[in-house]
Amino acid sequence: MRQKKKKSDAPAAPEIPQAVAVLPPLPPVVRVFDAPSTPHMRMLTNAVQHFYTVISALAPAMLTETNVTFNERGMYLTALNDSKTIFVDWRVTEDSMEGMYSGNHTYRVKLNMEVFVECVHSGKKFESMQLEMDGVLPETLTLRFTAPDRSRVNVMRLMQEDDEELIVVPDIRYDCSVSMPSTRFKEAIYSIHRSSNTRVEFEYCRSDGGADYAFHIRSHTQLASTETSFRSRPDVQSAAAADGADPLFSSDAADAALRLQSTFYLDGIASIVKVTNATRFVTIYPADVRDTLPKEEHKPMRITYEISTLGPLSFYIAPCLADASGAQ
């Protein structure tokens, strides 16, 4: 009897190679805050997005180039817009910013704002940004961006300084001011219909005895008109403050009745409110161009934001002279 042939054992399955070992993550970039003893400036901040929000609001719509001063205390950006109707004053100092600052030399440099915006934009999603300058007469500004897994370095050439007179921050004392969440102010401006040379009117009213306040933002064009009003009583605001709530509207207390009214071009105001995403509150100091005051005592409107983790940013805006008026 024929015996059945035994089936040969199936060939052994090829050995599955072990998966390639996962590469270990890159070590985090070490943030070395290098502060040499030679002439230098170093500014390190984690508020990269807020920094970008500010300078992208300034350029190129408002500023094409600007002078920036770095000294032992911090960075000071002061400039007039191209139409010379808005003065910008931004102070990022060692006392106001969250980060590190070191400077042992005074640098007054001129920046092309469009290039500056591009450099910061390219690194706005990194965790930190460091600005660097070295030497007595540097030709470049270095921007170092770092994150746990990568870094980037941008070097921009400084513009040649001109003989323009140094712009000085105006020393103006205001009799009244209005504070509110910056989003409320932005909503009021964005509610205005925009057309060619649209103008917006600001009116501050205070009753006799200082019991009631009102602040109006108005605009009227051939196609649309809008008015946003903010009102407050001091006792209501005091109660809100006692409860720990953020006041929706507050104004400086004073006794005498006052009415200030002035008009501005909307385009300039609309550029200013673009910084809202980097802020919580805005303080508005109404312009005072009353006929009863000598011209040398007239005051522009001042809009001041406290930029989160950086420092105060103020805009001084000249009213449209043809329409500016105010009465007490």
Side-chain angles (χ1 to χ4, degrees):
M1 214 172 152
R2 274 179 94 181
Q3 290 186 351
K4 283 189 179 179
K5 215 172 180 186
K6 272 187 171 184
K7 285 187 180 177
S8 60
D9 291 340
E15 203 172 309
I16 300 174
Q18 297 219 344
V20 178
V22 178
L23 292 174
L26 292 173
V29 176
V30 180
R31 300 176 190 168
V32 179
F33 189 73
D34 177 27
S37 58
T38 54
H40 72 277
M41 183 283 301
R42 299 285 188 271
M43 186 174 78
L44 175 67
T45 177
N46 292 334
V48 187
Q49 182 65 54
H50 288 167
F51 195 97
Y52 171 72
T53 297
V54 172
I55 64 168
S56 61
L58 298 180
M62 194 177 301
L63 302 175
T64 54
E65 57 188 46
T66 187
N67 291 320
V68 182
T69 299
F70 296 91
N71 59 24
E72 67 280 357
R73 295 194 57 201
M75 182 190 87
Y76 300 82
L77 188 156
T78 55
L80 275 170
N81 69 334
D82 294 340
S83 63
K84 300 192 184 304
T85 57
I86 301 177
F87 179 84
V88 183
D89 175 28
W90 188 24
R91 307 181 184 192
V92 184
T93 67
E94 196 174 12
D95 296 332
S96 68
M97 67 178 289
E98 290 184 13
M100 291 186 286
Y101 186 87
S102 175
N104 63 0
H105 183 71
T106 298
Y107 295 98
R108 181 172 175 260
V109 298
K110 192 170 185 180
L111 301 180
N112 180 306
M113 286 297 287
E114 191 170 355
V115 175
F116 193 36
V117 170
E118 289 175 359
C119 287
V120 179
H121 177 268
S122 76
K124 69 176 183 177
K125 295 192 176 176
F126 284 73
E127 288 187 3
S128 67
M129 176 184 71
Q130 181 166 306
L131 304 181
E132 301 177 2
M133 282 190 296
D134 290 283
V136 177
L137 296 172
E139 296 182 354
T140 59
L141 173 68
T142 301
L143 298 88
R144 297 186 187 275
F145 301 94
T146 59
D149 60 343
R150 66 198 192 282
S151 63
R152 177 171 298 153
V153 178
N154 290 337
V155 180
M156 66 173 290
R157 296 196 68 82
L158 301 173
M159 299 178 65
Q160 189 172 5
E161 278 196 73
D162 48 35
D163 296 329
E164 287 184 6
E165 190 176 336
L166 182 64
I167 300 175
V168 179
V169 179
D171 182 16
I172 302 175
R173 297 190 178 185
Y174 289 85
D175 300 323
C176 55
S177 65
V178 173
S179 297
M180 68 182 75
S182 51
T183 52
R184 298 291 176 93
F185 182 51
K186 178 181 177 181
E187 289 167 1
I189 297 302
Y190 278 16
S191 70
I192 297 172
H193 173 76
R194 297 185 69 172
S195 61
S196 178
N197 292 326
T198 301
R199 301 183 181 193
V200 55
E201 178 186 271
F202 291 82
E203 183 181 40
Y204 174 88
C205 301
R206 185 174 68 213
S207 66
D208 190 15
D212 295 294
Y213 305 84
F215 187 65
H216 308 281
I217 301 174
R218 308 185 184 96
S219 181
H220 176 75
T221 68
Q222 291 182 341
L223 299 177
S225 62
T226 183
E227 177 176 345
T228 303
S229 298
F230 300 89
R231 293 185 175 84
S232 177
R233 292 179 60 91
D235 54 345
V236 174
Q237 293 304 321
S238 298
D243 292 338
D246 291 333
L248 296 183
F249 172 92
S250 63
S251 181
D252 287 351
D255 295 330
L258 184 66
R259 179 174 175 266
L260 301 175
Q261 187 177 3
S262 49
T263 305
F264 305 85
Y265 287 109
L266 178 61
D267 283 346
I269 306 296
S271 295
I272 288 170
V273 299
K274 290 179 181 177
V275 306
T276 297
N277 291 342
T279 66
R280 287 189 63 206
F281 289 94
V282 60
T283 302
I284 303 167
Y285 301 81
D288 191 348
V289 289
R290 289 172 289 171
D291 294 336
T292 54
L293 292 177
K295 283 193 176 181
E296 59 271 16
E297 294 182 19
H298 285 185
K299 302 171 185 177
M301 179 169 67
R302 174 181 166 187
I303 299 177
T304 296
Y305 293 92
E306 189 67 35
I307 305 300
S308 180
T309 72
L310 288 171
L313 170 64
S314 295
F315 300 90
Y316 296 81
I317 309 105
C320 304
L321 296 179
D323 295 337
S325 62
Q328 188 170 5

